[in-house]
Amino acid sequence: MTRGTRGIRAASEAHERWRGWREATQEALYGPAGFYRVRPEGPAGHFRTSVHASPLFAGAVARLLCRVDEALGRPASLAFVDLAAGRGELVTGVLAALPGDVAARTRAYAVEVAGRPRGLDHRIEWLTEPPGGVTGLLFANEWLDNVPVEVAEVDSAGVARRVLVRDDGAERLGEPVGGAEARWLARWWPLSAAQGLRAEIGLPRDTAWASAVAALDAGLAVAADYAHTAAARPPFGSLTGFREGRETAPVPDGTCDITAHVALDACAAAGGPERHAGTHGARHAHDGATRRADDDAAPHAGRCVPECTPSGALLRPQREALRALGVAGARPPLALASTDPAAYVRALARASQAAELTAPGGLGDFMWLLQPVGAVDASALLVDVADHEEE
């Protein structure tokens, strides 16, 4: 057999390999030739996040960090952890937006599986897993949707089975869902016996979020993502792909992003203090931008929805969170166009950017999970700013 025929045979065998979506996605996104490891353009080349839409987003996160700083009594060392940092755009923008006295005390961390970008601010520590024992704000923007999960589908007999996938995206049904995954479905995403119903099993995301929250000794952890809650799960799941700015079929071959909306209510329960106490101080193996779930994880605490999140946690639409942090999108008064045309144009541009960040049907529909650690009141951090602070 020649080297060339060996390569053809290996490619053919990979093409015929059937496995669960979690394993396939893990390799496609975070493996040696994965989407998030090797593509030079970074995530911004394939999809537009709030960070890329406007610097107003980083400014709002900086304002939230300042409020966390005040709630913590202005500690000597204040951490900002940008989880799934991409190319460091958010952490760079936050540092630039902070007041000088806060920036001087801030220790900035970027957590990402890809290598450190050239020219990144020297103040930013580049890590492959969150630092432990820090005090401040951990912010995970569009991270959990990329934590790989298994997909379940109901067969003709009404049984929920694991969906298996090949590298070319073809699917077939595998074994029935069992164990901790079945318990997760029963609690968070119960499926009826109707054939074809699907669900993404969010257990790995719950474990990943609990581990991220455990990095904080005190402060606030925030996850901002596509999300749903028990009151409105998508009946056929939400697994999809993105390539070069367009939504595409999810194919686990390393050429596209693979994502699914997040059951943030389940994550909120997993990240509560009763779980945080059990994981605090532990170091968890980091595999790409995700953390492996413990298949024998204990069942979550009581079921929750946005009106009933555990232990002070909040679930809020992004539009509400950003407006409370000064991103309002109000058009400037027309009179300003006459008195200061340049200022009017600048204000109009900011209003347009704010409108995109808060738009219904778009980025404004993202959900924020705010999970406090220690004596921090998450609701007190989302208070309306004075009119002159709005952008």
Side-chain angles (χ1 to χ4, degrees):
M1 182 182 292
T2 66
R3 181 180 303 174
T5 57
R6 281 197 301 268
I8 293 171
R9 180 178 178 181
S12 177
E13 289 174 350
H15 182 74
E16 293 300 324
R17 178 176 47 177
W18 293 97
R19 50 188 174 162
W21 267 106
R22 183 181 176 198
E23 178 186 345
T25 302
Q26 181 69 32
E27 181 178 325
L29 297 185
Y30 308 116
F35 179 82
Y36 280 106
R37 284 190 182 273
V38 301
R39 300 190 70 89
E41 69 275 15
H46 296 273
F47 48 86
R48 181 177 174 86
T49 72
S50 297
V51 178
H52 307 126
S54 171
L56 296 179
F57 188 81
V61 176
R63 185 173 286 116
L64 179 60
L65 177 59
C66 290
R67 294 182 183 182
V68 171
D69 181 43
E70 289 285 346
L72 293 171
R74 299 185 179 182
S77 179
L78 178 69
F80 177 69
V81 182
D82 181 4
L83 188 52
R87 297 299 183 263
E89 299 95 336
L90 178 59
V91 64
T92 298
V94 168
L95 284 177
L98 288 174
D101 62 320
V102 179
R105 291 184 288 108
T106 297
R107 189 166 183 179
Y109 303 90
V111 183
E112 180 56 64
V113 63
R116 182 186 181 96
R118 292 181 179 179
L120 189 71
D121 192 317
H122 71 277
R123 295 174 294 172
I124 301 170
E125 295 188 46
W126 195 265
L127 305 172
T128 57
E129 63 178 48
V134 297
T135 297
L137 173 64
L138 179 146
F139 202 96
N141 187 60
E142 294 195 44
W143 169 54
L144 287 170
D145 67 289
N146 285 132
V147 173
V149 292
E150 297 289 3
V151 178
E153 181 176 321
V154 178
D155 68 10
S156 59
V159 176
R161 293 182 176 272
R162 189 188 308 270
V163 177
L164 305 181
V165 63
R166 285 191 322 210
D167 289 355
D168 63 356
E171 292 181 333
R172 74 180 187 191
L173 296 185
E175 70 279 8
V177 177
E181 293 178 336
R183 292 193 294 274
W184 189 93
L185 280 179
R187 177 174 291 276
W188 294 106
W189 198 330
L191 294 170
S192 74
Q195 183 178 2
L197 293 181
R198 287 170 67 118
E200 290 98 29
I201 303 172
L203 185 60
R205 294 171 172 180
D206 297 354
T207 304
W209 180 244
S211 182
V213 175
L216 294 174
D217 277 350
L220 182 72
V222 178
D225 231 313
Y226 303 97
H228 47 68
T229 63
R233 303 283 189 221
F236 302 106
S238 58
L239 188 71
T240 191
F242 284 92
R243 182 189 296 115
E244 298 177 352
R246 296 178 181 273
E247 188 169 5
T248 185
V251 178
D253 61 359
T255 65
C256 68
D257 181 41
I258 299 173
T259 177
H261 294 199
V262 183
L264 269 185
D265 47 354
C267 293
E274 65 281 353
R275 295 294 297 274
H276 178 75
T279 58
H280 182 71
R283 303 301 292 170
H284 300 265
H286 189 276
D287 191 3
T290 183
R291 294 184 182 271
R292 289 289 186 181
D294 178 2
D295 289 338
D296 295 322
H300 300 309
R303 186 171 182 171
C304 63
V305 294
E307 295 76 18
C308 184
T309 49
S311 307
L314 298 178
L315 278 172
R316 294 290 184 270
Q318 174 162 294
R319 74 178 65 86
E320 292 183 13
L322 289 182
R323 285 169 180 164
L325 293 167
V327 180
R331 291 176 61 89
L334 190 59
L336 185 62
S338 300
T339 59
D340 192 339
Y344 177 78
V345 171
R346 291 193 298 271
L348 196 62
R350 287 195 299 271
S352 177
Q353 294 170 14
E356 180 181 1
L357 290 171
T358 57
L363 294 174
D365 285 346
F366 273 48
M367 292 294 292
W368 282 29
L369 165 59
L370 297 94
Q371 195 108 42
V373 178
V376 173
D377 181 356
S379 62
L381 300 173
L382 293 184
V383 295
D384 290 336
V385 302
D387 290 344
H388 69 276
E389 294 184 55
E390 291 185 350
E391 296 178 297

